[in-house]
Amino acid sequence: MEFTTQKIAENLWALDQKGVRSFFLVGQDNAVLVDTCFGGDILSVCRTLTDNPITLITTHSDGDHCGCDAQFTEQYMHPAEFARYESRGKGACKAKPISEGDVFNVGEYTLEVVVIPGHTPGSIALLDRQHKFLISGDTVQSGCIFMHGDGRDLPSFRESIIKLDAMRREGLFDTVYPAHGDAIVPADILEDHLALADEVLSGTAVPAGPAPEWFPDTVKTYRRGRAQMYYAVK
Ligand SMILES: [Zn+2]
């Protein structure tokens, strides 16, 4: 499976594969990879950019974010993902636990863990306060968020969106780097995510269309502004 490499900021690359995206940050002596896409040889792609040792940080345990994990020896993940990771046939989880406020330094970047359950139980984002960006995994994106299936929890997702939107309003970040959809998204998309979650949870949302055929018929596509999700109203 092929990757395309796009430099989106100094020492920061987006590695795209079939609709999913990892981020790679390179410092003087180390490097950080955020997620590993579906599979293939992401390590070789990283090695075209640096020979530094690589720390892997996993935003959550969905298969499109963990496909090349075996190529890395040092991995971090929120412990609320461990059981789910192992249940998805990835074998024993070798990741070390991370929690709210943990910090990873890589070159000019300081990545701070923000815990945002909902899309999955231990989803995390990474905040750089100085450069005012958030690497968001699947939780904030212009693509369609999967909120149907194992581990999804829409009320928790809504709480996480409220938490992130408060941080945005404080001025902690203005740009989002998501794993799907556009690689660079203005942070005020959070307003659309919150409005959509409110509408869907209150039962007032009208489906914008069906979901892809691999979902049960009850799952629909919901849209509000730039935000979209697949969800089955109970
Ligand atoms: Zn994903």
Side-chain angles (χ1 to χ4, degrees):
M1 281 186 274
E2 295 294 306
F3 291 89
T4 57
T5 302
Q6 182 195 357
K7 185 172 183 177
I8 58 170
E10 205 52 40
N11 297 315
L12 170 51
W13 286 267
L15 312 181
D16 281 69
Q17 180 186 63
K18 283 183 25 179
V20 66
R21 181 178 302 115
S22 297
F23 291 95
F24 191 50
L25 304 93
V26 177
Q28 289 260 301
D29 313 306
N30 68 336
V32 166
L33 178 65
V34 183
D35 295 344
T36 61
C37 296
F38 284 105
D41 191 356
I42 200 170
L43 180 57
S44 293
V45 179
C46 296
R47 285 291 168 242
T48 65
L49 298 166
T50 183
D51 290 325
N52 291 347
I54 298 169
T55 298
L56 172 62
I57 305 174
T58 302
T59 61
H60 65 293
S61 58
D62 283 348
D64 55 333
H65 298 258
C66 304
C68 308
D69 288 5
Q71 295 162 20
F72 299 89
T73 50
E74 187 183 38
Q75 181 178 14
Y76 290 87
M77 195 188 310
H78 192 280
E81 295 292 293
F82 288 177
R84 188 172 181 274
Y85 184 93
E86 292 182 3
S87 77
R88 293 165 94 82
K90 293 283 171 198
C93 185
K94 65 181 190 307
K96 298 176 201 163
I98 45 175
S99 57
E100 182 83 14
D102 284 355
V103 164
F104 295 85
N105 291 299
V106 55
E108 64 260 64
Y109 298 113
T110 301
L111 303 174
E112 184 179 326
V113 174
V114 183
V115 180
I116 46 170
H119 176 63
T120 64
S123 282
I124 61 128
L126 295 166
L127 170 69
D128 186 301
R129 292 172 186 252
Q130 188 191 340
H131 298 89
K132 294 189 185 296
F133 67 72
L134 185 81
I135 298 176
S136 63
D138 285 7
T139 299
V140 187
Q141 55 160 300
S142 62
C144 203
I145 303 171
F146 286 43
M147 287 307 299
H148 173 78
D150 163 40
R152 316 296 186 205
D153 180 339
L154 188 54
S156 298
F157 174 85
R158 178 179 173 276
E159 291 303 315
S160 292
I161 294 294
I162 290 171
K163 172 181 177 177
L164 291 175
D165 197 42
M167 295 168 70
R168 173 188 75 89
R169 287 170 190 276
E170 272 181 61
L172 299 188
F173 64 97
D174 55 25
T175 302
V176 178
Y177 300 145
H180 304 279
D182 299 319
I184 303 172
V185 175
D188 65 3
I189 195 174
L190 281 157
E191 294 178 0
D192 293 348
H193 283 309
L194 181 55
L196 178 59
D198 281 343
E199 275 181 23
V200 171
L201 280 170
S202 69
T204 58
V206 177
E213 67 273 8
W214 64 80
F215 282 116
D217 287 346
T218 49
V219 182
K220 306 292 182 201
T221 302
Y222 292 90
R223 256 186 221 118
R224 171 74 183 254
R226 296 158 288 171
Q228 313 172 56
M229 74 168 74
Y230 299 130
Y231 187 71
V233 173
K234 281 147 195 116

